[in-house]
Amino acid sequence: MSQFLIYFQLGLKHILNIYSYDHILFLIALAIPLSFKEWKRILLLVTTFTVGHTVALLLSVYGVIAVKVAVVELLIPVTILIVALFHLFTAGKSGKKESINLIFFITLFFGIIHGLGFSNYFKSIHHGTITSKLLPILEFALGIEAGQLAVILVFLIIAYIVQTVFRFSKRDWTLVVSAFIIGVVLPMIIGNEIWLR
């Protein structure tokens, strides 16, 4: 049980770490147009991310794939930018639900990219046999899932307060938060070390 708690907490802290806010930004970008009544879609999006993250972590830890860190660190804010731009340009449009497959694809893609980005750290803290790595990765994935649900819950509470107490329309909320996220991730993309080579 103690090993479970170690890796579960590691996954939880991985999400709730304010210094790696790219992950939180992506979750917020995903949840911008959503509300509590769409909890099934929220759960599906969060789980889609966790599946992508876990698969990439498994493939990387077992040496199936390897990607340069600088490339991963560029792709993470790019995926956030894509989701924020999608919401910015579709805010208030009724045909938005037809494009939900794009959001699920981006979510899975981000999960894969983020899993690759975390794999080096995971390999450095776990020096076990091939079979002994599987359970810690799954325990870590449960922590990731719990952390993501916590972030989404807090964001949805804030969104509800802003839209009901302060009378923001859903469209205005979507535009403001999308623009904020774009403003945060553009410097991350421009300042990436890949452009310095």
Side-chain angles (χ1 to χ4, degrees):
M1 188 63 180
S2 61
Q3 178 184 300
F4 170 78
L5 286 176
I6 289 168
Y7 288 103
F8 179 84
Q9 287 176 353
L10 186 64
L12 200 61
K13 288 175 183 174
H14 177 55
I15 299 297
L16 302 179
N17 181 357
I18 195 67
Y19 298 108
S20 355
Y21 57 88
D22 56 339
H23 204 129
I24 294 171
L25 279 178
F26 183 76
L27 292 169
I28 291 171
L30 273 182
I32 291 171
L34 302 176
S35 62
F36 285 111
K37 65 183 178 184
E38 297 166 288
W39 65 269
K40 288 181 183 175
R41 186 188 298 181
I42 293 166
L43 191 59
L44 191 57
L45 281 169
V46 169
T47 304
T48 299
F49 174 89
T50 306
V51 167
H53 191 284
T54 305
V55 167
L57 194 54
L58 284 167
L59 292 174
S60 181
V61 165
Y62 289 118
V64 178
I65 53 172
V67 181
K68 290 183 179 178
V69 175
V71 173
V72 171
E73 288 180 359
L74 174 65
L75 289 175
I76 288 172
V78 166
T79 55
I80 300 168
L81 180 66
I82 290 168
V83 175
L85 285 171
F86 173 77
H87 291 316
L88 187 73
F89 290 113
T90 59
K93 295 185 180 173
S94 58
K96 192 171 181 179
K97 291 192 178 187
E98 296 168 10
S99 302
I100 196 66
N101 288 338
L102 173 67
I103 297 298
F104 281 106
F105 172 77
I106 294 293
T107 304
L108 184 65
F109 178 70
F110 182 84
I112 291 168
I113 295 303
H114 207 86
L116 291 173
F118 191 73
S119 62
N120 286 337
Y121 174 74
F122 193 87
K123 285 188 254 187
S124 72
I125 62 166
H126 191 279
H127 305 286
T129 63
I130 289 178
T131 52
S132 71
K133 291 178 183 177
L134 181 60
L135 191 57
I137 288 173
L138 296 177
E139 293 162 347
F140 176 76
L142 287 174
I144 291 278
E145 186 84 354
Q148 290 182 138
L149 289 172
V151 169
I152 296 281
L153 178 64
V154 169
F155 178 75
L156 289 179
I157 290 169
I158 293 168
Y160 178 79
I161 291 168
V162 169
Q163 291 177 57
T164 54
V165 176
F166 298 105
R167 303 288 185 194
F168 262 62
S169 70
K170 190 171 187 176
R171 180 182 175 276
D172 289 347
W173 172 251
T174 301
L175 291 173
V176 168
V177 179
S178 298
F180 170 77
I181 290 171
I182 291 165
V184 173
V185 296
L186 277 177
M188 292 168 68
I189 295 169
I190 294 165
N192 187 280
E193 65 179 60
I194 206 165
W195 310 119
L196 303 174
R197 295 180 181 183

